[in-house]
C-alpha cells in the first residue's frame, strides 16, 4: 500500500509575528501543488490565527503542539480540541517527549489527549520514542510498545485509522544525532508489526513519521526506508530553504 508522505513542522516555543510573515512569503510559493504528499505546520497556540489566515490560499495544513483531554473547564493554561478546530487546525501533536519529560505528561495523560483529539475531529500525531539509557540497555522496543499499549487499550486500534505515529528517539531530538536510516527503519518496522498484531489493515495504512534532527542532508536517505512515511521536524523547520528541501526529500 502506498502511504502519502507527510512532513510536519514543530516550531516549539519559537516564532514572532514578523518572522512568520516573512517565512510564509517564501515558504508557500516554494512548495508546489502538494499533489503527492502533505505538509502541516504546528506553531505556538498564540500564532494559530495568524497561520490560519496565511495558509488559507495554500494546501498546507495547520496543527497545534498539544491539546487538553477536556472540551472546556477550569484547566488554566490548556487549550481544547474544539478551540483548535475553531482556528482551523486539522492536526495536533500529542505526547511529544518535551511534554513527557519537562511537563510530566504520563502515558495515561497522552492517551487521554489522543482520545480528545480524535473525538474533536483532529488527527493526533502521537510521539513515541526511547531515551538514551533505554536504547543503551536495548529497551527501545519495550518502551515504544508500552507507550503504544496505553493508547491502543484506551482508544482502540481503530482510532489509528485517523492518527499518525511519530517515532522520535529522545536522544536524537535537537541534538544533531540523527538515528541512522537503518536504526530508524528497524523501529518503524517494529511499530508497524506491533500495529499489525492488532489489525493488519490499520498497520498498512498508518503513517509512521521519523523525528530527531532531520535535516536537508539526511531527509532523502531516511525517506528511502520502506516504513518511514515522513518526518516531524523541529529545528530545521524554521529555516525556509532547509524545510523546503526536507519536504522535497520526502517527495511532498
Ligand atoms: C522535535 O522536536 O519533534 C524534533 C524532531 O526536533 P529536531 O528536529 O530539532 O530534532
Amino acid at each position: 500500500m502506498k502511504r502519502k508522505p507527510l512532513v510536519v513542522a514543530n516550531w516549539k516555543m519559537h516564532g514572532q509575528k514578523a518572522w512568520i510573515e516573512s517565512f510564509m512569503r517564501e515558504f508557500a510559493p516554494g512548495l508546489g501543488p502538494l499533489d503527492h504528499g502533505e505538509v502541516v505546520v504546528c506553531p505556538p497556540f498564540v500564532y494559530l490565527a495568524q497561520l490560519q489566515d496565511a495558509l488559507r490560499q495554500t494546501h498546507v495544513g495547520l496543527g497545534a503542539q498539544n491539546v487538553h483531554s477536556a472540551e472546556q473547564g477550569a484547566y488554566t493554561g490548556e487549550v481544547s480540541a474544539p478551540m483548535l478546530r475553531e482556528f482551523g487546525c486539522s492536526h495536533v501533536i500529542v505526547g511529544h517527549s518535551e511534554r513527557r519529560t519537562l511537563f510530566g505528561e504520563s502515558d495515561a495523560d497522552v492517551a487521554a489527549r489522543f482520545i480528545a483529539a480524535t473525538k474533536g475531529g483532529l488527527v493526533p500525531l502521537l510521539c513515541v520514542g526511547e531515551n538514551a539509557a533505554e536504547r543503551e540497555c536495548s529497551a527501545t522496543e519495550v518502551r515504544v510498545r508500552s507507550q503504544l499499549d496505553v493508547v491502543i487499550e484506551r482508544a482502540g486500534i481503530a482510532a489509528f485509522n485517523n492518527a499518525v505515529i511519530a517515532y522520535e528517539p529522545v536522544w536524537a531530538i535537537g541534538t544533531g544525532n540523527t538515528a541512522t536510516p537503518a536504526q530508524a527503519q528497524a523501529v518503524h518496522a517494529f511499530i508497524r508489526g506491533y500495529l499489525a498484531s492488532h489489525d493488519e489493515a490499520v498497520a498498512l495504512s498508518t503513517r509512521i513519521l521519523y523525528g530527531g534532527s532531520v535535516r536537508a542532508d539526511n531527509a532523502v536517505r531516511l525517506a528511502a526506508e520502506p516504513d518511514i512515511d515522513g518526518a516531524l521536524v523541529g529545528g530545521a523547520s524554521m529555516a525556509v530553504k532547509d524545510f523546503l528541501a526536507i519536504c522535497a526529500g520526502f517527495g511532498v
Side-chain angles (χ1 to χ4, degrees), residues 6 85 89-93 117-118 121-126 162-164 207:
L6 167 65
R85 292 282 297 162
C89 288
S90 52
H91 292 70
V92 63
I93 298 169
T118 53
L122 296 163
V123 176
L125 304 160
L126 171 66
N162 213 15
V164 172
R207 285 177 294 181

Side-chain angles (χ1 to χ4, degrees), residues 10 12 96 98 127 168 172-176 211-214 232-236:
N10 174 15
K12 311 193 186 196
H96 191 281
E98 286 152 18
C127 300
E168 297 212 304
I173 296 178
T175 59
S213 299
V214 175
L232 177 52
V233 188

